[in-house]
Amino acid sequence: VPDPAMFDDLMAQGLRRQGMLFYKPECQGCRACLPIRVPVSRFRPSRSQRRLLSKYGTRYEVTTGPARYEPEHFEMYAAHAKHVSSRNQSDNAGLYRLAFVDSLIQTHFFEYRIDGELVAVSILDAGETSVSSVYAFWDPRFAQFSPGTFSALWELDWALSHNKTYYYLGYW
């Protein structure tokens, strides 16, 4: 079981977490997947990101809690997965739990609500000096509020307020 410092080392080596596993894509003869690492203290939102925060930032109510299975989260995940992907596994609660809820490290679930209605959920792993965005999903009916971008900006702000050095977003 990795401790927070070991988690930071794994992230610095370009690994990601899904469920209880850490992985790194390694295709023979290919180095196309590059980890995205944002130095938290140096991040400045772009013009469009500032516009998003100005326009919708006060509409969102955000709460956080530990990794847990919530039927409301799963239903949103399944709707989001069907909207953005053709994968057939989106309706399997067991696979959802294995991929997102089961974790060897400190994992936070952020809930984003507008007028009391769940709009999005994002999942963030935390190490000693870094955080890693595991996944974010949202209700397709609220796409106009840019919940994916908003959740990344929220996670970055959370990382800054918790004195984290790096924010990992996945692969480019």
Side-chain angles (χ1 to χ4, degrees), residues 26-51:
E26 291 188 12
C27 302
Q28 190 172 10
C30 178
R31 292 230 186 266
C33 294
L34 301 172
I36 301 169
R37 179 173 85 169
V38 178
V40 173
S41 66
R42 294 195 328 226
F43 174 77
R44 300 294 176 266
S46 69
R47 185 175 177 189
S48 65
Q49 291 166 342
R50 288 191 309 271
R51 214 173 19 248

Side-chain angles (χ1 to χ4, degrees), residues 43-54 56-57 60 62 80 112 119-122 133 135-138 142-157 167 169:
F43 174 77
R44 300 294 176 266
S46 69
R47 185 175 177 189
S48 65
Q49 291 166 342
R50 288 191 309 271
R51 214 173 19 248
L52 167 69
L53 291 170
S54 174
Y56 299 125
Y60 280 98
V62 185
H80 178 262
Y112 305 85
V119 171
V121 173
S122 68
S133 185
Y135 199 69
F137 49 92
W138 54 90
F142 292 93
Q144 75 271 17
F145 294 101
S146 302
T149 301
F150 184 84
S151 68
L153 294 169
W154 180 268
E155 289 177 347
L156 266 160
D157 189 59
Y167 174 61
L169 274 162

Side-chain angles (χ1 to χ4, degrees), residues 5 20 63 79 85 161:
M20 305 292 252
T63 57
S85 173
S161 70

